[in-house]
Amino acid sequence: MSKLKVDQISKATGASPAIFTLPAADGTADQHMKTDGSGQLGWSTPPAAATNAPAFSVCTNAVTAITAATNVKIVLDREVFTSTSGCFDPTTNYRFTVPAGQAGIYVIHAGINFLMASSSTTSNIQTMLYLNGAEHGTSDSVITNQANITNLTVEGTWMLDLADGAEIELWGYVSGTSTQYNGNATLQKTHMSGFKLIGV
C-alpha cells in the first residue's frame, strides 16, 4: 500500500495558487476541518444542536371557585413536563420563571375552562397572562345568557421578549357569580405551556 505524505496542499488554478497548511495532528471523532482564511487548516467541533428549551406544560388538578369580578390567580399545580428543572413552581407561586442565561423570545399559550351556573346572567370572562406581577395580555369573551353556555374555554397565545428572571403567571376573571375553573387529575383542561424560540 502506497502513502502520500504532505504538509501543504497547493491549489492548482488561479494566477496565485493558494497554499493550505494541514494540521499537525489528527482531530477527534466527529470534528470538522476549518480554515482561518489565511491557508491554515485546523479542526473544529460543531456546535450542539439547538433546542426549544426551556419548555414547560402545566395544568390544574381540581375544580376551583372564582370570586366574582375579581382577578384570580389560577392554581397550576400539575406539571405535565418541564425541560429545565425548577423553571416552574407548581406548589407555591404557580409561575414560570426564565432561568439564568435563558433570556429570549418565548411563545406562551394558556386556556381557562370556565364552569358557570345555569342562569341568564351576562358575564365577561377573561384569561389573563401576567408578566412580572402585572397584567400583560388578555383574551376575553362575553356571554349574554349563561343558561345557554355553562362550560367555555377562553384561550390566548402570546410571543414575549423575556429577560432572565422574568415571571409568567395565569390569571382569570369572571363578572358573573357561581363560577369555577375546571381541573382534572388526568386531563389538561385549565392549562398553560410555553417554550423558547430558536434562532430569533
Side-chain angles (χ1 to χ4, degrees), residues 5-39:
K5 295 183 178 182
V6 296
D7 294 324
Q8 295 180 322
I9 300 173
S10 179
K11 186 177 178 182
T13 59
S16 301
I19 297 175
F20 302 100
T21 300
L22 298 173
D26 191 11
T28 59
D30 299 321
Q31 283 191 311
H32 299 166
M33 186 169 286
K34 66 173 184 177
T35 177
D36 65 357
S38 299

Side-chain angles (χ1 to χ4, degrees), residues 55-60 73-82 87-89 93-97 107-112 127-130 155-156 158 160 167-171 188-195:
F56 68 95
S57 178
V58 293
C59 57
T60 188
K73 182 189 284 192
I74 305 302
V75 175
L76 298 166
D77 52 1
R78 179 160 63 90
E79 291 180 305
V80 180
F81 82 90
T82 53
C87 71
F88 192 90
D89 175 7
N93 294 309
Y94 313 108
R95 67 170 61 125
F96 168 71
T97 303
V107 175
I108 307 293
H109 177 80
I112 301 175
T127 291
M128 298 176 288
L129 193 75
Y130 271 46
E155 297 185 285
W158 298 268
L160 305 171
E167 297 174 343
I168 298 294
E169 299 167 327
L170 179 61
W171 288 62
Q188 297 181 52
K189 294 192 173 184
T190 296
H191 58 89
M192 183 168 70
S193 60
F195 60 90

Side-chain angles (χ1 to χ4, degrees), residues 71 126-139 171 173:
N71 289 2
Q126 299 179 354
T127 291
M128 298 176 288
L129 193 75
Y130 271 46
L131 171 60
N132 295 329
E135 183 178 350
H136 179 80
T138 300
S139 294
W171 288 62
Y173 173 91

